[in-house]
Amino acid sequence: MSIVQIENLSKIYGKGETAVKALDDVSFSVNKGEFVAIIGPSGSGKSTLLHLLGGVDRPTSGKVMIDNTDIYQLDETQLAIFRRRQIGLIYQFYNLIPILTVEENITLPMLLDQHKVDSGQLESIVSTLGLDQRLDHLPNQLSGGQQQRVSIGRALISNPAIILADEPTGNLDSKNSKEIIELLKMFNKTYNQTLIVITHDERIALQADRVIEIADGRVAKDEVIRP
Ligand code: ADP
Ligand code: ADP
């Protein structure tokens, strides 16, 4: 079953002389539970693609369907709600809110929409991430690896249709990188949580079910490693 379908997606930044075509007519689908690595040179359009999948920017043309919702048909308010409910975003530099505690950062997407947090689910996520003893800490009291775990918790708390990660290990040493990838893989395999990860690290790409290579705003290669 496909959970993501993108059709003829293009993105042009700017206008006229200085316009940059960052994505050029990209189409593909992702199946529920798939772990997809997106690779490609710097400036090839990977982050643009991830932002469009995540509903954080709007395409110049084309369509993004997530769990049967045509997300760019939604207005800004509806899109913001859809994003908090159905899309878990993980960034290289964590993007945590410095004045909120670990628990508050994790539960924020739910609280913004007045959704009740399931305490059992929160407990289970927090303990899987090894953050039990850290719930009242602020982000700057945590190591980089722990901060990234918090951002994984925030991404997972709403049981989203997809998890999108942009270089999630790009700021971590190799031990923490490995732990973060193991956690993402565990949620992917155990809970059939669809995972799309941009990475420069070949060791991570080789662990994916499928590798999509982007070059000059187009899909240069799309290879299933594990059917
Ligand atoms: P990657 O993630 O593969 O490094 P990006 O998607 O960040 O690539 O960028 C693709 C192209 O779009 C690059 O040429 C980049 O300079 C350009 N670009 C990205 N974001 C913007 C922006 N906000 N305004 C103008 N150009 C941008
Ligand atoms: P060291 O810790 O001795 O510097 P590495 O961490 O580079 O060595 O590699 C140790 C093992 O961990 C290797 O088998 C490597 O494939 C694996 N590894 C390292 N980093 C990652 C990562 N980001 N994702 C997956 N596997 C990794």
Side-chain angles (χ1 to χ4, degrees):
M1 187 197 109
S2 94
I3 190 105
V4 177
Q5 291 147 280
I6 65 177
E7 291 172 19
N8 308 109
L9 200 62
S10 294
K11 176 73 183 181
I12 299 171
Y13 292 108
K15 285 201 168 68
E17 298 266 298
T18 57
V20 174
K21 194 164 215 175
L23 269 193
D24 185 7
D25 199 27
V26 170
S27 303
F28 61 80
S29 309
V30 174
N31 288 329
K32 178 158 171 53
E34 222 172 359
F35 170 12
V36 180
I38 310 253
I39 62 168
S42 179
S44 56
K46 303 181 300 296
S47 295
T48 299
L49 173 62
L50 209 77
H51 289 151
L52 292 177
L53 282 170
V56 293
D57 198 357
R58 284 188 181 260
T60 306
S61 58
K63 188 154 117 168
V64 175
M65 302 277 294
I66 294 177
D67 203 11
N68 295 315
T69 300
D70 187 344
I71 65 170
Y72 293 109
Q73 294 297 317
L74 302 174
D75 68 27
E76 284 307 318
T77 310
Q78 293 169 324
L79 181 57
I81 294 169
F82 183 87
R83 204 164 52 219
R84 289 195 286 268
R85 177 71 194 78
Q86 295 295 3
I87 298 166
L89 268 165
I90 297 169
Y91 299 92
Q92 179 173 357
F93 297 104
Y94 329 127
N95 284 17
L96 301 176
I97 299 186
I99 57 165
L100 297 183
T101 65
V102 165
E103 180 169 356
E104 289 164 343
N105 266 286
I106 291 176
T107 54
L108 186 65
M110 305 294 280
L111 302 179
L112 284 171
D113 295 322
Q114 281 100 44
H115 286 305
K116 253 189 108 119
V117 177
D118 179 333
S119 59
Q121 195 202 356
L122 176 64
E123 233 168 80
S124 139
I125 289 177
V126 161
S127 95
T128 306
L129 294 173
L131 292 169
D132 319 63
Q133 305 306 314
R134 301 283 175 173
L135 287 178
D136 295 326
H137 286 66
L138 293 171
N140 70 9
Q141 298 173 303
L142 305 177
S143 71
Q146 288 168 334
Q147 290 186 56
Q148 194 58 299
R149 288 158 189 260
V150 176
S151 96
I152 293 173
R154 177 182 57 187
L156 287 164
I157 191 70
S158 62
N159 272 323
I162 55 172
I163 296 283
L164 304 175
D166 193 345
E167 296 282 0
T169 63
N171 196 41
L172 300 174
D173 62 27
S174 72
K175 176 170 171 287
N176 276 296
S177 295
K178 243 171 117 166
E179 285 174 12
I180 291 296
I181 290 300
E182 285 306 320
L183 282 167
L184 290 173
K185 267 171 56 181
M186 195 282 290
F187 286 109
N188 168 248
K189 294 297 166 238
T190 311
Y191 301 105
N192 207 28
Q193 175 68 68
T194 310
L195 175 63
I196 304 178
V197 178
I198 293 181
T199 185
H200 277 111
D201 190 335
E202 192 177 45
R203 292 172 299 195
I204 296 174
L206 287 172
Q207 299 181 54
D209 302 322
R210 173 177 169 196
V211 178
I212 296 177
E213 184 181 339
I214 306 291
D216 286 331
R218 293 177 151 266
V219 174
K221 209 191 255 180
D222 185 347
E223 225 167 4
V224 174
I225 306 182
R226 287 176 196 79

